[in-house]
Amino acid sequence: MKNFKVAVIAGDGIGPEVIREGRKVLSKVAPQLQSKLQFSEYDLGAAQYLKTKEAMPESVFKELAGSDAIYLGAVGDPKVPPGILEREILLKIRFELDLYINLRPCILYEGAFTPLKNKGPQDIHFVVVRENTESVYAGLGGVFRKGTSEEVAIQEDINTRKGVERCVRFAYDYCQKRNHKKVLTLVDKANVLTHAHQLWRRVFAEVGRDYPDVRTNATYVDAAGMDFVRKPEIFDTLVTNNIFGDILTDLGAIISGGLGLASSANLNPSRKEGGASALFEPVHGSAPDIAGKGLANPLAAILAAKMMLEFFGEKSAAGRIEKAVRATLLENIFQPESSDLKISTSAVGDRVCHFL
Ligand code: NAI
Ligand code: MG
């Protein structure tokens, strides 16, 4: 039996509340797995940082890097200046472990709420492949004459041939294997960012020659935002840069049942054996506005756990979790015309376990 080491970072706000339910579901399926999951919990986040002024001790990072996967709730807290926890915990893991793919399904299940009129589950089932290590997230740039009326702030948009190509190639592969409509859409702003995004266009065309069965198109990000709302049914797999992917997938989440249902995988698909090559997390953040009230929907965290099982090769258990989530959603768990829950966070986890 294979052993997988899973590092758990519950984090801040609703993070621990939703991760608890994810763990509940993982415990429920554990007896039927082909492998054994060994969990270690890491107390990272606002409380730890405020106590020690260190968001990510090097020794902890080494342990995370030595695990097989990381399961994260969310980090971020109003008591800590914005960016510290996000950059030193989440972005550090993404960058230093080179998790260059952020895979974000936008799939509307029956029973979940979409604010789009006349659109249903048959219309909203696409996947966004977001580049996860470059773009303006790379942190290059600086400020000059800070705090004066002459201040200059520069944040560079990094696009490397290698970074773009490996992301685009993954997206073609994914689209081909997904075998849905076999249409891959590149989302960019090549009409204005003529240096950076024409690199994306060239690479997209070149790599596409290796995938003659995948149809392609390219769209500007502003138009893509409009089409997420107007005709989401045209999409199958989309590939885009880090910042556009970040923004578009919140929109993708809200049309496919809300942030409480959106899960994601951060992957390094080219890593060989050894070392953490994946982090699984809900798309949402720590939601301080609803933390501690039992209002958070844990299904995003539960679906992130399902993605982790797929990554470990546990297809059948992953499939059963998805089925149990679907069954839970048919139970009328939301307020009318809303993605706000009618039942508590832990009750949702219990219902999923019930269907397992
Ligand atoms: P957010 O995703 O935490 O919340 C946005 C809105 O969605 C809020 O109204 C919240 O109540 C609602 N919401 C989020 N998750 C929900 C759930 N599971 N069930 C029901 N409602 C849910 O984003 P926001 O407010 O912009 O950020 C809050 C903090 O989280 C910030 O510190 C931010 O930097 C951090 N953040 C961390 C992320 C991560 O760790 N991966 C990702 C996004 C934000
Ligand atoms: Mg985001």
Side-chain angles (χ1 to χ4, degrees):
M1 197 181 231
K2 257 194 165 160
N3 245 321
F4 290 114
K5 281 186 278 177
V6 179
V8 181
I9 306 170
D12 298 314
I14 62 169
E17 301 171 43
V18 297
I19 289 297
R20 190 177 309 126
E21 302 313 309
R23 292 285 305 274
K24 204 191 258 179
V25 167
L26 285 168
S27 301
K28 183 82 186 178
V29 296
Q32 290 123 38
L33 297 181
Q34 310 298 309
S35 48
K36 192 172 177 306
L37 306 188
Q38 239 177 332
F39 295 95
S40 310
E41 282 163 35
Y42 293 90
D43 203 9
L44 299 173
Q48 204 290 135
Y49 173 77
L50 290 170
K51 208 161 52 188
T52 63
K53 286 283 167 283
E54 201 180 9
M56 173 73 87
E58 214 33 57
S59 59
V60 171
F61 185 73
K62 274 213 180 95
E63 286 184 38
L64 296 177
S67 64
D68 294 297
I70 300 166
Y71 184 40
L72 173 94
V75 292
D77 188 288
K79 290 196 287 290
V80 179
I84 294 180
L85 300 172
E86 294 84 346
R87 185 158 281 283
E88 290 180 24
I89 300 175
L90 182 61
L91 293 184
K92 184 180 165 84
I93 294 171
R94 285 179 181 168
F95 288 168
E96 294 203 14
L97 301 182
D98 202 21
L99 306 179
Y100 61 86
I101 296 298
N102 194 328
L103 195 61
R104 298 189 155 185
C106 301
I107 294 169
L108 177 65
Y109 293 123
E110 204 71 58
F113 172 70
T114 181
L116 299 186
K117 206 171 154 191
N118 303 326
K119 300 288 178 196
Q122 70 287 356
D123 302 307
I124 304 171
H125 43 112
F126 56 88
V127 178
V128 177
V129 176
R130 165 186 172 190
E131 199 290 322
N132 212 28
T133 52
E134 300 194 338
S135 173
V136 288
Y137 289 67
L140 266 74
V143 288
F144 179 51
R145 299 191 178 126
K146 191 172 177 177
T148 72
S149 58
E150 316 274 288
E151 181 162 351
V152 179
I154 296 176
Q155 190 110 24
E156 300 278 8
D157 181 19
I158 306 302
N159 297 263
T160 68
R161 171 82 203 197
K162 175 186 164 193
V164 173
E165 186 174 337
R166 64 186 184 174
C167 173
V168 164
R169 188 167 291 281
F170 175 87
Y172 272 105
D173 256 344
Y174 186 86
C175 181
Q176 191 178 54
K177 292 202 186 98
R178 185 173 191 230
N179 202 15
H180 176 49
K181 295 175 202 275
K182 284 211 186 166
V183 177
L184 179 64
T185 303
L186 171 66
V187 180
D188 62 27
K189 189 74 185 170
N191 52 341
V192 176
L193 305 179
T194 47
H195 308 303
H197 290 184
Q198 284 178 17
L199 169 65
W200 279 81
R201 292 248 167 157
R202 276 184 280 121
V203 170
F204 188 64
E206 275 170 41
V207 175
R209 288 189 209 119
D210 295 339
Y211 300 86
D213 56 330
V214 175
R215 282 181 296 140
T216 60
N217 54 56
T219 177
Y220 302 132
V221 64
D222 36 359
M226 179 176 69
D227 284 340
F228 269 35
V229 172
R230 191 172 60 151
K231 42 179 185 180
E233 65 279 5
I234 66 170
F235 296 118
D236 165 1
T237 307
L238 300 92
V239 60
T240 191
N241 73 358
N242 205 338
I243 187 154
F244 292 170
D246 184 6
I247 298 166
L248 278 179
T249 52
D250 266 27
L251 179 56
I254 214 69
I255 62 169
S256 53
L259 276 171
L261 267 161
S263 59
S264 71
N266 299 255
L267 306 168
N268 180 332
S270 42
R271 183 165 342 240
K272 312 279 177 295
E273 289 291 298
S277 54
L279 178 148
F280 300 87
E281 56 169 343
V283 169
H284 64 73
S286 55
D289 54 335
I290 57 165
K293 298 178 182 158
L295 296 173
N297 184 351
L299 291 174
I302 291 170
L303 289 170
K306 172 222 156 219
M307 291 178 97
M308 179 164 73
L309 291 181
E310 275 167 357
F311 171 75
F312 289 146
E314 297 282 358
K315 289 226 162 57
S316 127
R320 273 187 291 117
I321 292 179
E322 185 177 8
K323 257 177 97 178
V325 167
R326 284 178 184 273
T328 303
L329 287 169
L330 290 177
E331 285 198 312
N332 211 3
I333 59 170
F334 297 109
Q335 311 279 358
E337 297 289 287
S338 144
S339 36
D340 292 345
L341 286 176
K342 235 192 247 171
I343 60 174
S344 72
T345 307
S346 67
V348 175
D350 291 343
R351 292 315 292 160
V352 175
C353 288
H354 163 82
F355 287 112
L356 282 164

